[in-house]
Amino acid sequence: ERDAERRQNTWWVDTQDDVYEMVYVLVYRGEDIKFSPSLTGDLTAGFYIVNRVQAETDSNVLIVDGYIKEEIANTYAEAEVLTIQGDTRAITLASESVEDPLGKNANIWGYVLRAGYQDHKWTALMEHGYASGDDKPTDADFNGRPLHPDHNVGLLFYEEIMSRVTAEAWGDGAKGLWSNGGVYNSRYIFPNVRYRPLPNWELSAAYMMAWPDKPDGSKILCKEGDAVDCTVYSATADYLAYEVDVAVKHRWAEHVNFSVEGGFAHVTDRIPLKSTGMQYETDDDGHTYGDFWTVKSRIAYEF
């Protein structure tokens, strides 16, 4: 009934497929706040709530996102937490249920935390993030959703490798479930440091390591001891991958930006490299892994 060719000619005036979205936002931003007679800083905090309703798909979904950021003296801290809750039949994902094949109950979570030190020469941050996964995508519980792809973590593992893996595994029929470069079904740490030796010059280095949340046996393979039910337990590694990134950036004449970035990623047998057509190697025990690297340069003029 939801296919265009099955609709009546008056579908465009039918309110059943209309989407109602209510957005509620509360944000506080304070600059040069006096926390004590000798201590000032900036503080931003707030949240937004989105309620999305559609009659045709029996959807009533609530999205809640909270955010806080502080810069006091040379300290820096930032956190964002997101959850998606509610019921829907809008996700065209095959289900085991015969009575209600499209019924889904969303319970999705994600967060990113950052903290560190910064001054005019140095920035040193520790970042930790999480995107909940779904080990049984065919049941009624919809628990997995990647973080937004605009939140870039590293150059290779999430941006390129997991993006390719999820696209191959889900296929064209479920493009809405691809990671598209976002953090997917995992938790990670991402310590990074930036050094500015001269005006308009910046050197940076970062390390990323990721662990699975809920392996599903197709995008992330299962290992003995995982707290999930898998048909096959073929992986041996505890973690998904580690990655090292470095970069040199320069800006001159106020408008011209130049950068050279490089990254190396080691991907374990948690990721099905072979079945998704990516390069891989096999160790002495017959387990597959992959080593990937990239170098890119950019010069741009900003108006």
Side-chain angles (χ1 to χ4, degrees), residues 251-269:
R251 181 183 182 94
W252 74 90
E254 297 185 0
H255 297 286
V256 181
N257 290 331
F258 171 76
S259 67
V260 178
E261 299 176 279
F264 169 82
H266 174 78
V267 181
T268 70
D269 60 358

Side-chain angles (χ1 to χ4, degrees), residues 12-59:
W12 58 280
V13 293
D14 184 354
T15 61
Q16 290 297 301
D17 64 341
D18 291 355
V19 176
Y20 299 89
E21 182 173 278
M22 286 67 72
V23 182
Y24 311 93
V25 180
L26 179 63
V27 177
Y28 167 81
R29 180 168 184 175
E31 296 181 345
D32 297 326
I33 303 172
K34 287 191 175 182
F35 295 96
S36 71
S38 60
L39 188 64
T40 62
D42 301 336
L43 176 66
T44 301
F47 65 86
Y48 73 80
I49 300 174
V50 179
N51 185 208
R52 189 172 297 169
V53 179
Q54 186 184 37
E56 182 180 66
T57 58
D58 299 318
S59 297

